[in-house]
Amino acid sequence: MATSFLHQGKYEKAIPLYQKSIELADDKQAKAESWNRLGVAYRKMNDYDMAVDAYMNAVKLDDESEKLVSRAHFSLLGNCRVD
């Protein structure tokens, strides 16, 4: 359901569902995927600090293939941030 909201641009509705999925996930890979998608939702809302935090949590839990996705998201954030 969270992913559906994400694709519809309803990021505020997706965020608590991803947070709940992180709590309920049984394995590291599922948690990492939820953290990564949570980061996408925050990034789409231009909440870059929360997006970076979510991506960092994904990287901590992730295997190599997912780390590449997280790194790509960090790269996108680098293009979006205005300090």
Side-chain angles (χ1 to χ4, degrees):
M1 186 176 242
T3 302
S4 177
F5 284 139
L6 188 68
H7 289 293
Q8 294 173 22
K10 298 177 181 177
Y11 312 119
E12 300 86 8
K13 290 185 177 186
I15 288 171
L17 296 175
Y18 282 128
Q19 291 169 332
K20 188 66 171 178
S21 71
I22 291 164
E23 289 177 32
L24 298 175
D26 290 336
D27 62 53
K28 287 176 23 174
Q29 185 61 33
K31 284 185 187 234
E33 188 174 307
S34 290
W35 276 113
N36 212 3
R37 291 181 180 165
L38 179 62
V40 171
Y42 282 126
R43 183 174 53 87
K44 295 284 191 172
M45 293 177 59
N46 298 323
D47 189 341
Y48 301 117
D49 291 334
M50 293 298 289
V52 168
D53 185 55
Y55 292 143
M56 293 292 283
N57 281 304
V59 168
K60 289 176 191 174
L61 295 169
D62 242 340
D63 67 11
E64 281 303 310
S65 64
E66 200 63 30
K67 284 183 184 178
L68 292 173
V69 173
S70 295
R71 278 186 247 154
H73 288 149
F74 281 129
S75 176
L76 286 171
L77 282 172
N79 293 334
C80 296
R81 291 188 80 131
V82 178
D83 292 328

Coordinates of all heavy atoms in Angstrom, one line a residue:
M1 N 0.8 -1.2 0.0 CA 0.0 0.0 0.0 C 0.9 1.3 0.0 O 0.6 2.2 -0.7 CB -0.9 0.0 1.2 CG -1.9 1.1 1.2 SD -3.1 0.9 2.6 CE -4.6 0.7 1.7
A2 N 2.0 1.2 0.8 CA 2.8 2.4 0.8 C 3.4 2.7 -0.5 O 3.5 3.9 -1.0 CB 4.0 2.1 1.8
T3 N 3.8 1.7 -1.3 CA 4.4 1.9 -2.6 C 3.4 2.4 -3.5 O 3.7 3.3 -4.4 CB 5.0 0.6 -3.1 OG1 6.0 0.1 -2.2 CG2 5.6 0.7 -4.5
S4 N 2.1 2.0 -3.4 CA 1.1 2.6 -4.2 C 0.9 4.1 -4.0 O 0.8 4.9 -4.9 CB -0.3 1.8 -3.9 OG -1.3 2.4 -4.6
F5 N 0.9 4.4 -2.7 CA 0.8 5.9 -2.3 C 2.0 6.6 -2.9 O 1.9 7.7 -3.4 CB 0.7 6.1 -0.8 CG -0.6 5.8 -0.2 CD1 -0.7 5.1 1.0 CD2 -1.8 6.2 -0.9 CE1 -2.0 4.9 1.5 CE2 -3.0 5.9 -0.3 CZ -3.1 5.3 0.9
L6 N 3.2 6.0 -2.8 CA 4.4 6.7 -3.3 C 4.3 6.9 -4.8 O 4.5 8.0 -5.3 CB 5.6 5.8 -3.0 CG 7.0 6.4 -3.3 CD1 7.3 7.5 -2.3 CD2 8.0 5.3 -3.2
H7 N 3.8 6.0 -5.6 CA 3.6 6.1 -7.0 C 2.5 7.1 -7.4 O 2.6 7.7 -8.4 CB 3.4 4.8 -7.7 CG 4.6 3.9 -7.7 ND1 5.7 4.2 -8.4 CD2 4.8 2.8 -7.1 CE1 6.6 3.3 -8.2 NE2 6.1 2.4 -7.4
Q8 N 1.6 7.3 -6.5 CA 0.5 8.3 -6.7 C 0.9 9.7 -6.3 O 0.1 10.6 -6.4 CB -0.8 7.9 -5.9 CG -1.4 6.6 -6.4 CD -2.5 6.2 -5.5 OE1 -3.1 6.9 -4.7 NE2 -2.8 4.9 -5.5
G9 N 2.1 9.8 -5.7 CA 2.5 11.1 -5.2 C 1.9 11.5 -3.8 O 2.0 12.7 -3.4
K10 N 1.4 10.5 -3.1 CA 0.8 10.8 -1.8 C 1.8 10.4 -0.7 O 1.7 9.4 0.0 CB -0.5 10.0 -1.6 CG -1.6 10.4 -2.6 CD -2.8 9.5 -2.5 CE -3.8 9.9 -3.5 NZ -5.0 9.1 -3.5
Y11 N 2.9 11.2 -0.7 CA 4.0 10.8 0.2 C 3.7 10.9 1.6 O 4.2 10.0 2.4 CB 5.2 11.8 -0.2 CG 5.4 11.9 -1.6 CD1 5.3 13.1 -2.3 CD2 5.7 10.8 -2.4 CE1 5.5 13.2 -3.7 CE2 5.9 10.9 -3.8 CZ 5.8 12.1 -4.4 OH 6.0 12.2 -5.7
E12 N 2.8 11.8 2.0 CA 2.5 11.9 3.5 C 1.8 10.6 3.9 O 1.9 10.3 5.1 CB 1.6 13.1 3.7 CG 2.2 14.4 3.4 CD 2.0 14.8 1.9 OE1 1.3 14.1 1.1 OE2 2.6 15.8 1.4
K13 N 1.0 10.0 3.1 CA 0.4 8.7 3.4 C 1.3 7.5 3.4 O 1.1 6.6 4.1 CB -0.8 8.5 2.5 CG -2.0 9.5 2.7 CD -3.1 9.1 1.8 CE -4.3 10.0 2.1 NZ -5.5 9.6 1.4
A14 N 2.3 7.6 2.5 CA 3.3 6.5 2.4 C 4.2 6.4 3.6 O 4.6 5.3 4.0 CB 4.1 6.7 1.1
I15 N 4.6 7.5 4.1 CA 5.6 7.6 5.1 C 5.3 6.7 6.4 O 6.1 5.9 6.8 CB 6.0 9.0 5.5 CG1 6.8 9.6 4.3 CG2 6.8 9.1 6.8 CD1 7.1 11.1 4.4
P16 N 4.1 6.9 7.0 CA 3.8 6.1 8.2 C 3.7 4.6 7.9 O 4.0 3.8 8.7 CB 2.5 6.7 8.7 CG 1.9 7.5 7.7 CD 3.1 7.9 6.7
L17 N 3.3 4.3 6.6 CA 3.2 2.9 6.3 C 4.6 2.3 6.1 O 4.9 1.1 6.5 CB 2.4 2.7 5.0 CG 1.0 3.1 5.1 CD1 0.3 3.1 3.8 CD2 0.2 2.2 6.1
Y18 N 5.5 3.0 5.5 CA 6.9 2.5 5.5 C 7.5 2.4 6.9 O 8.3 1.4 7.2 CB 7.8 3.4 4.6 CG 7.6 3.2 3.1 CD1 7.3 4.3 2.3 CD2 7.7 1.9 2.6 CE1 7.1 4.1 0.9 CE2 7.5 1.7 1.2 CZ 7.2 2.8 0.4 OH 7.0 2.6 -0.9
Q19 N 7.3 3.4 7.7 CA 7.8 3.3 9.1 C 7.2 2.0 9.8 O 8.0 1.4 10.5 CB 7.4 4.6 9.9 CG 8.1 5.8 9.4 CD 7.6 7.1 9.9 OE1 6.4 7.2 10.2 NE2 8.5 8.1 10.0
K20 N 6.0 1.7 9.6 CA 5.4 0.6 10.2 C 6.0 -0.7 9.6 O 6.3 -1.7 10.4 CB 3.9 0.6 10.0 CG 3.2 -0.5 10.8 CD 3.3 -0.3 12.3 CE 2.4 -1.3 13.0 NZ 2.6 -1.1 14.5
S21 N 6.3 -0.7 8.3 CA 6.8 -1.9 7.7 C 8.3 -2.1 8.2 O 8.7 -3.3 8.3 CB 6.8 -1.8 6.2 OG 7.8 -0.8 5.7
I22 N 9.0 -1.1 8.6 CA 10.3 -1.2 9.1 C 10.2 -1.9 10.5 O 11.0 -2.8 10.8 CB 11.0 0.2 9.3 CG1 11.3 0.7 7.9 CG2 12.2 0.1 10.1 CD1 11.7 2.1 7.8
E23 N 9.2 -1.5 11.3 CA 9.0 -2.1 12.6 C 8.7 -3.6 12.5 O 9.1 -4.4 13.3 CB 7.9 -1.4 13.3 CG 8.1 0.0 13.8 CD 6.9 0.6 14.5 OE1 6.1 -0.1 15.1 OE2 6.7 1.8 14.3
L24 N 7.8 -3.9 11.5 CA 7.3 -5.3 11.4 C 8.2 -6.2 10.6 O 8.0 -7.5 10.7 CB 5.9 -5.3 10.8 CG 4.8 -4.5 11.5 CD1 3.5 -4.5 10.7 CD2 4.6 -5.1 12.9
A25 N 9.1 -5.7 9.8 CA 10.0 -6.6 9.0 C 10.8 -7.6 9.8 O 11.3 -7.2 10.8 CB 10.9 -5.7 8.1
D26 N 10.8 -8.8 9.3 CA 11.6 -9.9 9.9 C 13.1 -9.9 9.6 O 13.9 -10.4 10.4 CB 10.9 -11.2 9.6 CG 9.6 -11.4 10.3 OD1 9.3 -10.7 11.3 OD2 8.8 -12.2 9.8
D27 N 13.4 -9.5 8.4 CA 14.8 -9.6 8.0 C 15.4 -8.3 7.6 O 14.7 -7.3 7.3 CB 14.9 -10.7 6.8 CG 14.2 -10.3 5.6 OD1 14.4 -9.2 5.1 OD2 13.4 -11.1 5.1
K28 N 16.7 -8.3 7.5 CA 17.5 -7.1 7.3 C 17.2 -6.5 5.9 O 17.0 -5.3 5.7 CB 19.0 -7.3 7.4 CG 19.4 -7.4 8.8 CD 20.8 -7.8 9.1 CE 21.8 -7.4 8.0 NZ 23.2 -7.7 8.4
Q29 N 17.0 -7.4 4.9 CA 16.8 -7.0 3.5 C 15.5 -6.3 3.4 O 15.4 -5.2 2.7 CB 16.9 -8.2 2.5 CG 16.8 -7.8 1.1 CD 17.9 -6.9 0.6 OE1 19.0 -7.0 1.1 NE2 17.6 -6.0 -0.3
A30 N 14.4 -6.8 4.0 CA 13.1 -6.2 3.9 C 13.1 -4.8 4.6 O 12.6 -3.8 4.1 CB 12.1 -7.1 4.6
K31 N 13.8 -4.7 5.8 CA 14.0 -3.4 6.4 C 14.7 -2.4 5.6 O 14.3 -1.3 5.5 CB 14.7 -3.6 7.8 CG 13.8 -4.2 8.9 CD 14.5 -4.2 10.2 CE 13.7 -5.0 11.2 NZ 13.4 -4.2 12.4
A32 N 15.8 -2.9 5.0 CA 16.6 -2.0 4.1 C 15.8 -1.5 3.0 O 15.9 -0.3 2.6 CB 17.9 -2.8 3.6
E33 N 15.0 -2.3 2.4 CA 14.2 -1.9 1.2 C 13.2 -0.8 1.7 O 12.9 0.2 1.0 CB 13.4 -3.1 0.7 CG 12.7 -2.8 -0.6 CD 12.1 -4.1 -1.2 OE1 12.9 -5.0 -1.4 OE2 10.9 -4.1 -1.5
S34 N 12.6 -1.0 2.9 CA 11.6 -0.1 3.4 C 12.3 1.2 3.7 O 11.7 2.3 3.5 CB 10.9 -0.6 4.6 OG 10.0 -1.7 4.2
W35 N 13.5 1.2 4.3 CA 14.2 2.4 4.6 C 14.5 3.2 3.3 O 14.4 4.4 3.3 CB 15.5 2.1 5.4 CG 15.4 2.0 6.8 CD1 15.6 0.8 7.6 CD2 15.1 3.0 7.8 NE1 15.4 1.1 8.9 CE2 15.1 2.4 9.1 CE3 14.8 4.3 7.7 CZ2 14.8 3.1 10.2 CZ3 14.5 5.0 8.8 CH2 14.5 4.4 10.1
N36 N 14.9 2.4 2.3 CA 15.3 3.0 1.0 C 14.0 3.7 0.4 O 14.1 4.9 0.0 CB 15.8 2.0 0.1 CG 16.8 2.5 -0.8 OD1 17.2 3.6 -0.8 ND2 17.3 1.6 -1.7
R37 N 12.9 3.1 0.4 CA 11.7 3.7 -0.1 C 11.2 4.8 0.7 O 10.7 5.8 0.2 CB 10.6 2.6 -0.3 CG 11.0 1.6 -1.4 CD 9.9 0.6 -1.6 NE 10.3 -0.4 -2.6 CZ 9.8 -1.5 -2.8 NH1 8.8 -1.9 -2.1 NH2 10.2 -2.3 -3.8
L38 N 11.4 4.7 2.0 CA 11.1 5.9 2.9 C 11.9 7.1 2.5 O 11.4 8.2 2.5 CB 11.3 5.5 4.4 CG 11.0 6.5 5.4 CD1 9.6 7.0 5.4 CD2 11.4 6.0 6.8
G39 N 13.2 6.8 2.2 CA 14.1 7.9 1.8 C 13.5 8.5 0.5 O 13.6 9.8 0.3
V40 N 13.0 7.7 -0.4 CA 12.5 8.3 -1.6 C 11.3 9.2 -1.3 O 11.2 10.3 -1.9 CB 12.0 7.1 -2.6 CG1 11.2 7.7 -3.8 CG2 13.2 6.3 -3.1
A41 N 10.4 8.7 -0.4 CA 9.2 9.6 -0.1 C 9.7 10.9 0.5 O 9.2 12.0 0.1 CB 8.4 8.8 0.9
Y42 N 10.7 10.9 1.4 CA 11.1 12.1 2.0 C 11.8 13.0 0.9 O 11.6 14.2 0.9 CB 12.1 11.9 3.1 CG 11.5 11.5 4.4 CD1 11.9 10.3 5.1 CD2 10.5 12.3 5.0 CE1 11.3 9.9 6.3 CE2 10.0 11.9 6.2 CZ 10.3 10.7 6.8 OH 9.8 10.4 8.0
R43 N 12.6 12.4 0.0 CA 13.2 13.1 -1.0 C 12.2 13.8 -1.9 O 12.3 15.0 -2.3 CB 14.1 12.2 -1.9 CG 14.9 13.0 -3.0 CD 15.9 12.1 -3.7 NE 15.3 10.8 -4.2 CZ 14.7 10.7 -5.4 NH1 14.6 11.8 -6.2 NH2 14.3 9.6 -5.8
K44 N 11.1 13.1 -2.3 CA 10.1 13.7 -3.1 C 9.4 14.9 -2.4 O 8.9 15.7 -3.1 CB 9.0 12.6 -3.5 CG 9.6 11.5 -4.3 CD 9.7 11.9 -5.7 CE 10.0 10.8 -6.6 NZ 10.0 11.1 -8.0
M45 N 9.4 14.9 -1.1 CA 8.8 16.0 -0.3 C 9.8 17.1 -0.1 O 9.5 18.0 0.7 CB 8.2 15.4 1.0 CG 7.1 14.5 0.8 SD 6.5 13.8 2.4 CE 6.1 15.3 3.3
N46 N 11.0 16.9 -0.6 CA 12.1 17.9 -0.4 C 12.6 18.0 1.0 O 13.1 19.0 1.5 CB 11.7 19.3 -0.9 CG 11.5 19.3 -2.4 OD1 12.1 18.6 -3.1 ND2 10.5 20.0 -2.8
D47 N 12.4 16.9 1.8 CA 12.9 16.8 3.2 C 14.2 16.0 3.1 O 14.3 14.8 3.4 CB 11.9 16.1 4.1 CG 12.3 16.2 5.5 OD1 13.4 16.4 5.8 OD2 11.4 16.0 6.4
Y48 N 15.3 16.7 2.7 CA 16.5 16.0 2.4 C 17.2 15.5 3.6 O 17.9 14.4 3.5 CB 17.4 17.0 1.6 CG 16.8 17.4 0.3 CD1 16.5 18.8 0.1 CD2 16.5 16.5 -0.6 CE1 15.9 19.2 -1.1 CE2 15.8 16.9 -1.8 CZ 15.6 18.2 -2.0 OH 15.0 18.6 -3.2
D49 N 17.1 16.1 4.8 CA 17.7 15.6 6.0 C 17.1 14.2 6.4 O 17.8 13.3 6.7 CB 17.6 16.6 7.1 CG 18.4 17.8 6.9 OD1 19.4 17.8 6.2 OD2 18.1 18.9 7.5
M50 N 15.8 14.1 6.3 CA 15.1 12.9 6.6 C 15.4 11.8 5.6 O 15.6 10.6 5.9 CB 13.6 13.1 6.8 CG 13.2 13.9 8.0 SD 13.7 13.2 9.6 CE 12.6 11.8 9.7
A51 N 15.6 12.2 4.3 CA 15.9 11.3 3.2 C 17.3 10.7 3.4 O 17.5 9.5 3.3 CB 15.8 12.0 1.9
V52 N 18.2 11.6 3.8 CA 19.6 11.1 4.0 C 19.6 10.1 5.2 O 20.2 9.1 5.1 CB 20.6 12.3 4.3 CG1 21.9 11.8 4.8 CG2 20.8 13.1 3.0
D53 N 18.9 10.4 6.2 CA 18.8 9.6 7.4 C 18.2 8.2 7.0 O 18.8 7.2 7.4 CB 18.0 10.2 8.5 CG 17.9 9.4 9.8 OD1 19.0 9.1 10.3 OD2 16.8 9.1 10.2
A54 N 17.2 8.2 6.2 CA 16.6 6.9 5.8 C 17.5 6.1 4.9 O 17.7 4.9 5.1 CB 15.3 7.2 5.1
Y55 N 18.2 6.8 4.0 CA 19.1 6.1 3.1 C 20.3 5.5 3.9 O 20.8 4.4 3.7 CB 19.7 7.0 2.0 CG 18.6 7.4 1.0 CD1 18.6 8.7 0.5 CD2 17.7 6.5 0.6 CE1 17.7 9.1 -0.5 CE2 16.7 6.9 -0.4 CZ 16.8 8.2 -0.9 OH 15.8 8.5 -1.9
M56 N 20.8 6.3 4.9 CA 21.9 5.8 5.8 C 21.4 4.5 6.5 O 22.2 3.6 6.7 CB 22.3 6.9 6.8 CG 22.9 8.1 6.2 SD 24.5 7.7 5.4 CE 25.5 7.6 6.9
N57 N 20.2 4.5 7.0 CA 19.7 3.3 7.7 C 19.6 2.1 6.7 O 19.9 1.0 7.1 CB 18.4 3.6 8.3 CG 18.5 4.3 9.6 OD1 19.2 3.8 10.5 ND2 17.9 5.4 9.8
A58 N 19.3 2.4 5.5 CA 19.2 1.3 4.5 C 20.6 0.8 4.2 O 20.8 -0.4 4.1 CB 18.6 1.9 3.2
V59 N 21.6 1.7 4.1 CA 22.9 1.2 3.8 C 23.5 0.4 4.9 O 24.2 -0.6 4.7 CB 23.9 2.4 3.6 CG1 25.3 2.1 3.6 CG2 23.5 3.1 2.3
K60 N 23.2 0.7 6.2 CA 23.6 -0.1 7.3 C 23.1 -1.5 7.3 O 23.8 -2.4 7.8 CB 23.2 0.6 8.6 CG 23.9 1.9 8.9 CD 23.3 2.5 10.2 CE 23.8 3.9 10.4 NZ 23.2 4.5 11.6
L61 N 21.9 -1.7 6.8 CA 21.3 -3.0 6.8 C 21.5 -3.8 5.5 O 21.3 -5.0 5.4 CB 19.8 -2.9 7.0 CG 19.4 -2.3 8.3 CD1 17.9 -2.0 8.3 CD2 19.7 -3.4 9.4
D62 N 21.9 -3.1 4.4 CA 21.8 -3.6 3.1 C 23.0 -4.6 2.6 O 24.1 -4.5 3.1 CB 21.9 -2.4 2.2 CG 20.6 -2.3 1.4 OD1 19.9 -3.3 1.2 OD2 20.4 -1.2 0.9
D63 N 22.6 -5.4 1.6 CA 23.6 -6.1 0.9 C 24.2 -5.2 -0.2 O 23.7 -4.1 -0.4 CB 23.1 -7.4 0.4 CG 22.1 -7.3 -0.7 OD1 21.9 -6.1 -1.2 OD2 21.4 -8.2 -1.1
E64 N 25.2 -5.7 -0.9 CA 25.8 -4.9 -1.9 C 24.9 -4.4 -3.0 O 25.0 -3.3 -3.4 CB 27.0 -5.7 -2.6 CG 28.2 -5.8 -1.7 CD 28.8 -4.4 -1.4 OE1 28.9 -3.6 -2.3 OE2 29.0 -4.2 -0.2
S65 N 24.0 -5.2 -3.5 CA 23.1 -4.7 -4.6 C 22.3 -3.5 -4.2 O 22.1 -2.6 -4.9 CB 22.2 -5.9 -5.1 OG 21.3 -6.3 -4.1
E66 N 21.7 -3.6 -3.0 CA 20.9 -2.5 -2.5 C 21.7 -1.3 -2.2 O 21.2 -0.2 -2.3 CB 20.1 -3.0 -1.3 CG 18.9 -2.1 -1.0 CD 17.8 -2.2 -2.1 OE1 17.7 -3.2 -2.9 OE2 17.1 -1.2 -2.3
K67 N 23.0 -1.5 -1.8 CA 23.8 -0.3 -1.5 C 24.0 0.5 -2.7 O 24.1 1.7 -2.7 CB 25.2 -0.8 -0.9 CG 25.1 -1.2 0.5 CD 26.4 -1.6 1.1 CE 26.3 -2.1 2.5 NZ 27.5 -2.5 3.1
L68 N 24.1 -0.1 -3.9 CA 24.2 0.6 -5.1 C 23.0 1.5 -5.3 O 23.1 2.7 -5.8 CB 24.4 -0.3 -6.3 CG 25.7 -1.1 -6.3 CD1 25.7 -2.1 -7.4 CD2 26.9 -0.2 -6.5
V69 N 21.8 1.0 -5.0 CA 20.6 1.8 -5.2 C 20.7 3.0 -4.2 O 20.3 4.1 -4.6 CB 19.4 1.0 -4.9 CG1 18.1 1.8 -4.9 CG2 19.2 -0.1 -6.0
S70 N 21.0 2.7 -3.0 CA 21.1 3.8 -2.0 C 22.2 4.9 -2.4 O 21.9 6.1 -2.2 CB 21.5 3.3 -0.6 OG 20.5 2.4 -0.1
R71 N 23.3 4.4 -2.9 CA 24.3 5.4 -3.4 C 23.7 6.2 -4.5 O 24.0 7.4 -4.6 CB 25.6 4.7 -3.8 CG 26.4 4.3 -2.6 CD 27.7 3.8 -3.1 NE 27.7 2.4 -2.7 CZ 28.4 1.4 -3.2 NH1 29.1 1.6 -4.2 NH2 28.3 0.2 -2.7
A72 N 23.0 5.6 -5.4 CA 22.3 6.4 -6.5 C 21.4 7.5 -5.9 O 21.4 8.6 -6.4 CB 21.6 5.5 -7.4
H73 N 20.7 7.1 -4.9 CA 19.8 8.1 -4.2 C 20.6 9.2 -3.6 O 20.2 10.4 -3.7 CB 18.9 7.4 -3.2 CG 17.8 6.6 -3.9 ND1 17.3 5.4 -3.3 CD2 17.1 6.7 -5.0 CE1 16.4 4.9 -4.0 NE2 16.3 5.6 -5.1
F74 N 21.7 8.9 -2.9 CA 22.5 9.9 -2.4 C 23.0 10.8 -3.5 O 23.1 12.1 -3.3 CB 23.7 9.3 -1.6 CG 23.4 8.8 -0.3 CD1 23.8 7.5 0.1 CD2 22.8 9.6 0.7 CE1 23.5 7.0 1.4 CE2 22.5 9.1 1.9 CZ 22.9 7.8 2.3
S75 N 23.4 10.3 -4.6 CA 23.8 11.1 -5.7 C 22.7 12.1 -6.2 O 23.0 13.2 -6.4 CB 24.2 10.2 -6.9 OG 24.6 10.9 -8.0
L76 N 21.5 11.6 -6.2 CA 20.4 12.4 -6.6 C 20.2 13.5 -5.6 O 19.9 14.7 -5.9 CB 19.1 11.6 -6.7 CG 18.9 10.7 -7.9 CD1 17.7 9.9 -7.8 CD2 18.9 11.6 -9.2
L77 N 20.4 13.2 -4.3 CA 20.2 14.2 -3.3 C 21.3 15.3 -3.4 O 21.1 16.5 -3.2 CB 20.4 13.6 -1.9 CG 19.1 12.9 -1.4 CD1 19.5 12.2 -0.1 CD2 18.0 13.9 -1.1
G78 N 22.5 14.9 -3.8 CA 23.6 15.8 -4.0 C 23.2 16.8 -5.1 O 23.6 18.0 -5.1
N79 N 22.4 16.4 -6.1 CA 22.0 17.3 -7.1 C 20.9 18.2 -6.7 O 20.6 19.2 -7.3 CB 21.6 16.5 -8.4 CG 22.7 15.8 -9.0 OD1 23.8 16.2 -8.9 ND2 22.4 14.7 -9.7
C80 N 20.2 17.9 -5.7 CA 19.0 18.6 -5.2 C 19.2 19.6 -4.1 O 18.5 20.6 -4.0 CB 17.9 17.7 -4.8 SG 17.3 16.6 -6.1
R81 N 20.2 19.3 -3.3 CA 20.4 20.1 -2.1 C 20.9 21.5 -2.4 O 21.8 21.7 -3.3 CB 21.4 19.5 -1.2 CG 20.9 18.2 -0.5 CD 21.8 17.7 0.5 NE 21.6 18.5 1.7 CZ 21.5 18.0 2.9 NH1 21.5 16.7 3.0 NH2 21.4 18.7 3.9
V82 N 20.4 22.5 -1.7 CA 20.9 23.9 -1.8 C 21.2 24.3 -0.4 O 20.4 24.4 0.5 CB 19.7 24.8 -2.4 CG1 20.2 26.2 -2.4 CG2 19.3 24.3 -3.7
D83 N 22.5 24.5 -0.2 CA 23.0 24.9 1.2 C 23.3 26.4 1.2 O 23.6 27.0 0.3 CB 24.2 24.1 1.6 CG 23.8 22.7 1.8 OD1 22.7 22.4 2.2 OD2 24.7 21.8 1.6

